[in-house]
């Protein structure tokens, strides 16, 4: 009888131990939260300069730690396209309007917080042989007896253009914000007749010159 009781209690103890043992192994720390405060190690780009347009692109990767991370990218001008489901990798391209330095920011977040880091890429202008399309003026005739002026614009293509203006008689005032625009004023009681305004555009690929005529009466 005593032997049977001993065996019975031994079975009960083994059963209790097996239950409590499994419970402790399922969650040894008693905490299922695996997230930590997010941290960005770095942002890596396969190139730091690209030509404008969709054919040249840069690949950016945001390397971060923290667990269960959400990635968000931001830039003032340009296109960011996700390349993986986590959005930790994106491609970047820019149109002609986006030429110049662009600051691209990656933000990572989880339930513990968020952190951001930025990288600077440069979108380069495509340089071609310069060409003047047309020269236009808001006036075709000017009076010599007054300081009447004409606003003249030289429309050109080629990229990274430098403008040089000349006139055979009269004064030229460059627009300080855009040298493709000038204000032309003939000398008072002088410069009578057909006057010639010359616009020359140049870049590292070459130069192009075109003239425009205006009548002074």
């Amino acid at each position: 009888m005593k032997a049977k009781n001993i065996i019975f209690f031994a079975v009960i103890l083994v059963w209790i131990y097996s239950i409590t043992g499994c419970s402790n192994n399922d969650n040894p720390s008693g905490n299922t939260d695996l997230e930590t405060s997010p941290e960005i190690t770095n942002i890596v780009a396969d190139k730091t300069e690209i030509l404008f347009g969709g054919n040249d692109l840069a690949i950016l990767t945001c390397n971060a730690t923290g667990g269960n991370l959400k990635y968000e990218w931001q830039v003032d001008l340009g296109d960011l396209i996700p390349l993986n489901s986590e959005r930790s990798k994106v491609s970047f391209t820019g149109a002609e309007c986006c030429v110049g330095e662009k600051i691209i920011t990656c933000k990572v977040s989880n339930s513990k917080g968020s952190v951001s880091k930025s990288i600077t890429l440069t979108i380069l202008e495509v340089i071609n042989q310069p060409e003047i399309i047309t020269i236009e003026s808001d006036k075709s005739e000017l009076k010599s007896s007054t300081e009447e002026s004409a606003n003249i614009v030289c429309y050109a293509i080629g990229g990274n253009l430098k403008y040089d203006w000349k006139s055979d008689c009269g004064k030229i005032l460059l627009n300080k914000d855009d040298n493709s625009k000038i204000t032309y004023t003939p000398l008072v009681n002088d410069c009578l007749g057909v006057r010639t305004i010359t616009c020359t555009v140049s870049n590292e690929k070459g130069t192009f010159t075109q003239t425009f005529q205006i009548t002074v009466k």
Side-chain angles (χ1 to χ4, degrees), residues 39-44 61-65 71 88:
E39 181 179 350
I40 296 176
T41 306
N42 55 26
I43 301 177
V44 180
T61 304
C62 184
N63 297 306
T65 59
Y71 292 81
S88 62

Side-chain angles (χ1 to χ4, degrees), residues 51-52 99 124-130 157-161 202-206:
L51 298 175
F52 78 78
V99 169
L124 302 175
E125 189 174 11
V126 177
I127 308 301
N128 295 313
Q129 185 78 20
I157 57 175
N160 195 29
L161 295 175
S202 60
N203 61 20
E204 50 265 51
K205 297 289 186 176

Side-chain angles (χ1 to χ4, degrees):
M1 186 68 178
K2 290 182 180 181
K4 290 182 179 181
N5 290 337
I6 293 173
I7 293 173
F8 174 76
F9 286 119
V11 171
I12 294 297
L13 289 174
V14 171
W15 178 73
I16 293 173
Y17 176 79
S18 64
I19 292 176
T20 56
C22 289
S23 176
N24 288 334
N25 289 334
D26 285 342
N27 186 14
S29 64
N31 182 12
T32 59
D33 187 1
L34 301 179
E35 294 183 9
T36 59
S37 296
E39 181 179 350
I40 296 176
T41 306
N42 55 26
I43 301 177
V44 180
D46 66 338
K47 60 181 77 171
T48 57
E49 295 182 341
I50 61 174
L51 298 175
F52 78 78
N55 294 328
D56 193 17
L57 54 84
I59 305 298
L60 292 83
T61 304
C62 184
N63 297 306
T65 59
N68 195 28
L69 295 175
K70 178 182 178 183
Y71 292 81
E72 298 178 54
W73 295 82
Q74 185 177 12
V75 66
D76 58 346
L77 289 172
D79 296 315
L80 293 164
I81 307 298
L83 297 180
N84 58 9
S85 59
E86 295 82 9
R87 295 176 176 260
S88 62
K89 180 179 290 188
V90 297
S91 66
F92 174 68
T93 58
E96 186 173 3
C97 64
C98 308
V99 169
E101 289 188 347
K102 296 290 166 267
I103 299 175
I104 302 173
T105 301
C106 177
K107 176 184 177 182
V108 295
S109 60
N110 60 20
S111 63
K112 298 293 185 178
S114 65
V115 64
S116 299
K117 197 176 186 69
S118 299
I119 187 173
T120 300
L121 269 64
T122 302
I123 301 176
L124 302 175
E125 189 174 11
V126 177
I127 308 301
N128 295 313
Q129 185 78 20
E131 179 182 357
I132 296 175
I133 305 303
T134 186
I135 300 175
E136 296 183 357
S137 173
D138 63 347
K139 296 176 183 177
S140 59
E141 295 182 352
L142 295 174
K143 295 179 181 179
S144 176
S145 59
T146 65
E147 290 189 346
E148 188 178 12
S149 300
N151 296 309
I152 302 174
V153 183
C154 181
Y155 293 101
I157 57 175
N160 195 29
L161 295 175
K162 178 182 178 182
Y163 293 82
D164 183 40
W165 292 86
K166 292 180 181 179
S167 70
D168 60 354
C169 184
K171 298 181 293 183
I172 289 178
L173 178 63
L174 286 173
N175 184 301
K176 64 179 181 179
D177 297 320
D178 184 355
N179 288 343
S180 69
K181 302 176 182 178
I182 65 165
T183 299
Y184 168 72
T185 307
L187 301 177
V188 176
N189 297 321
D190 202 349
C191 301
L192 292 173
V194 178
R195 306 274 49 109
T196 299
I197 312 296
T198 302
C199 178
T200 299
V201 294
S202 60
N203 61 20
E204 50 265 51
K205 297 289 186 176
T207 62
F208 193 102
T209 299
Q210 188 166 311
T211 60
F212 175 81
Q213 292 183 327
I214 190 167
T215 302
V216 180
K217 295 183 177 181

